[in-house]
Amino acid sequence: MPDYSTRIIKKDKLFGNLSYHLAVNKDINPSLKDRLCWHPFSYAEIRYGGDVHICCPQWNPASIGNLFHDEFESIWNGKKARAIRKSILDGSYRYCNHNTCPLIQDWERTLQPKSKSNIKELKNSIKMTPKHVHFVMDNSCNLSCPSCRMFKITQLSKDKQDNALILIKKVLNSMFPYSHTEEKIISMDGSGEVFSSEVYRKILETEPVFTQTEKWPNVKFILTTNGTLMTEKIQKKYKNLFDRTVKIEISVDAGDRESYEKVRVGGHWDLLWKNLDYFYDAIKDTKTTAWYWNIIIQKNNFRSLPKLIEIANRYDQHKPIINFSKILNWGTWSDIEFLDHAVYLPENPLYLEYYDIINLPEVKNYSKKRFY
């Protein structure tokens, strides 16, 4: 049996040991030599502990620096950041996991064609701080989904909360020391639920970039949430946030109540749709917010995919984009348990049924979908 949980260690002179989920492609995709990824030129991900990445570390694990050791501006424009950008420009993508990165998997649609003008634009886009900063600071959540964690994490300890607040404020102070009109994007987490986090609630209620948005007219927000706490009350309380939200990703993860209660342990099916109905009413006319429904395909929800499409079609004035992604093993299962859940693997006994379902006309022909 393949070892689905093995981390592949790749040694690098500049970055040291880099740990990759699953295998790293040893053969460079020749098509990437003619494509450009914008992430390392505009995006920074800030992790708990202070590490700064210029992509999700599951796709590119190389940290470009640590905020407890250096200033944000020097990290963003430092030697390690330049090395990763060079790997994009030369087409090697040598720090990227070619097997799991969704942008590389869908390179024809997601990566820009390489041209002199695009390269020039990329280089010119690099500012003192990134255009888009993403905080991954708090994995506390109101749910305890078995594919994500082995036990419930309701809140971080006081020390960890203080640590997260120091890092977030350091980055925000660097990016927003005064009023300006630069285009900036702030997004938060994905490892936990932003609206159950004491850290993020404090930031949303005290930091000027969230409470005095008029000082930064070109700042936008991206939200990642499971939707269960995104009530009408919360949407009104954080109106500044929702008014400037250009993208929201909601972990719906199922198309019916039975499947939902298996994969979203602690969730409330009826409340989820009540919250989404209220949000839809706010965005359906302007359509300024792109909304995504995420479903991580596994044994306990793949049969509900047609029902999820049916629900999506009801929001006909502004249909959601549905991200269908394959489940990975984050260490919560043994290899045998993972294989039992990973219906997209040919060796899974349910693979043929899964294949039939994703090729049903209503699923296959839904216009706003992405398979990763």
Side-chain angles (χ1 to χ4, degrees):
M1 176 185 295
D3 187 349
Y4 296 105
S5 60
T6 294
R7 304 292 297 192
I8 306 300
I9 305 300
K10 181 180 176 182
K11 294 184 178 180
D12 183 84
K13 289 183 180 180
L14 180 60
F15 292 97
N17 290 339
L18 299 176
S19 176
Y20 292 84
H21 187 87
L22 304 178
V24 179
N25 249 351
K26 293 182 174 61
D27 297 323
I28 299 300
N29 181 345
S31 301
L32 296 181
K33 287 189 174 294
D34 299 316
R35 295 284 170 160
L36 296 169
C37 177
W38 293 75
H39 265 246
F41 299 84
S42 61
Y43 174 90
E45 184 163 313
I46 317 300
R47 311 287 295 189
Y48 181 83
D51 279 343
V52 180
H53 294 259
I54 48 181
C55 186
C56 170
Q58 296 302 330
W59 321 135
N60 182 334
S63 168
I64 62 170
N66 189 286
L67 285 167
F68 284 121
H69 303 145
D70 295 294
E71 295 304 312
F72 189 38
E73 294 93 332
S74 63
I75 292 172
W76 175 245
N77 293 287
K79 183 178 179 180
K80 291 182 176 181
R82 294 195 302 270
I84 296 177
R85 290 169 190 145
K86 183 180 177 182
S87 76
I88 303 302
L89 296 174
D90 67 23
S92 69
Y93 289 71
R94 62 182 172 274
Y95 299 109
C96 304
N97 190 329
H98 294 213
N99 285 339
T100 57
C101 171
L103 299 181
I104 290 178
Q105 295 298 304
D106 197 17
W107 63 269
E108 290 181 284
R109 188 182 61 81
T110 58
L111 301 182
Q112 293 280 340
K114 183 181 287 186
S115 67
K116 289 184 179 180
S117 61
N118 279 347
I119 291 174
K120 182 179 179 180
E121 186 178 352
L122 267 186
K123 291 180 177 179
N124 290 340
S125 69
I126 302 172
K127 307 298 183 183
M128 291 300 295
T129 58
K131 178 180 179 179
H132 179 182
V133 63
H134 179 64
F135 295 106
V136 183
M137 292 288 172
D138 190 347
N139 62 353
S140 63
C141 190
N142 60 316
L143 306 184
S144 53
C145 307
S147 62
C148 176
R149 56 195 64 199
M150 292 180 282
F151 50 88
K152 192 168 185 178
I153 305 170
T154 53
Q155 289 297 339
L156 297 182
S157 66
K158 180 66 165 56
D159 288 347
K160 288 184 177 181
Q161 287 185 34
D162 291 343
N163 187 67
L165 288 168
I166 289 170
L167 292 170
I168 294 173
K169 289 181 178 182
K170 184 173 184 178
V171 171
L172 294 181
N173 288 340
S174 177
M175 296 179 70
F176 307 103
Y178 47 79
S179 300
H180 62 68
T181 59
E182 277 190 63
E183 292 184 5
K184 297 290 185 181
I185 298 172
I186 302 173
S187 55
M188 294 162 283
D189 244 284
S191 65
E193 171 51 40
V194 64
F195 294 116
S196 73
S197 163
E198 291 186 16
V199 170
Y200 289 125
R201 287 202 304 269
K202 189 166 186 177
I203 290 296
L204 293 176
E205 292 167 16
T206 61
E207 284 299 302
V209 71
F210 294 104
T211 61
Q212 302 172 42
T213 51
E214 68 278 1
K215 292 184 177 181
W216 297 276
N218 292 320
V219 170
K220 305 296 182 184
F221 305 117
I222 294 176
L223 291 176
T224 303
T225 174
N226 62 45
T228 58
L229 297 180
M230 200 178 78
T231 60
E232 177 180 349
K233 181 179 179 180
I234 286 293
Q235 293 182 54
K236 288 179 176 178
K237 180 177 182 179
Y238 300 121
K239 189 175 185 301
N240 282 352
L241 176 71
F242 283 97
D243 284 350
R244 295 280 193 94
T245 294
V246 292
K247 179 182 177 182
I248 185 167
E249 293 197 29
I250 304 161
S251 298
V252 175
D253 262 335
D256 58 43
R257 184 191 302 272
E258 181 182 2
S259 301
Y260 180 81
E261 290 177 351
K262 290 179 180 178
V263 299
R264 302 262 91 190
V265 176
H268 193 299
W269 177 254
D270 292 332
L271 180 59
L272 170 68
W273 296 108
K274 182 179 180 180
N275 296 344
L276 266 57
D277 284 344
Y278 182 82
F279 182 73
Y280 170 74
D281 285 339
I283 67 170
K284 66 182 179 182
D285 293 326
T286 62
K287 299 181 182 178
T288 55
T289 302
W291 67 328
Y292 293 71
W293 296 358
N294 295 337
I295 178 166
I296 301 175
I297 297 174
Q298 54 184 292
K299 179 181 72 173
N300 289 328
N301 65 12
F302 79 100
R303 294 187 180 94
S304 73
L305 296 185
K307 293 181 180 178
L308 183 64
I309 297 294
E310 182 181 334
I311 295 173
N313 282 323
R314 297 174 191 166
Y315 296 87
D316 57 336
Q317 289 180 253
H318 188 19
K319 289 184 181 179
I321 298 167
I322 302 180
N323 287 332
F324 297 94
S325 58
K326 300 170 183 176
I327 194 166
L328 297 174
N329 189 1
W330 303 112
T332 59
W333 289 321
S334 68
D335 286 339
I336 293 175
E337 290 171 324
F338 173 68
L339 178 58
D340 180 52
H341 284 273
V343 293
Y344 62 88
L345 293 174
E347 51 267 50
N348 186 289
L350 297 174
Y351 173 76
L352 291 179
E353 185 183 356
Y354 156 77
Y355 182 84
D356 288 341
I357 286 177
I358 65 171
N359 283 285
L360 287 172
E362 59 267 39
V363 177
K364 193 172 183 178
N365 296 330
Y366 183 74
S367 59
K368 293 189 171 185
K369 68 178 185 301
R370 296 175 181 174
F371 275 98
Y372 295 129

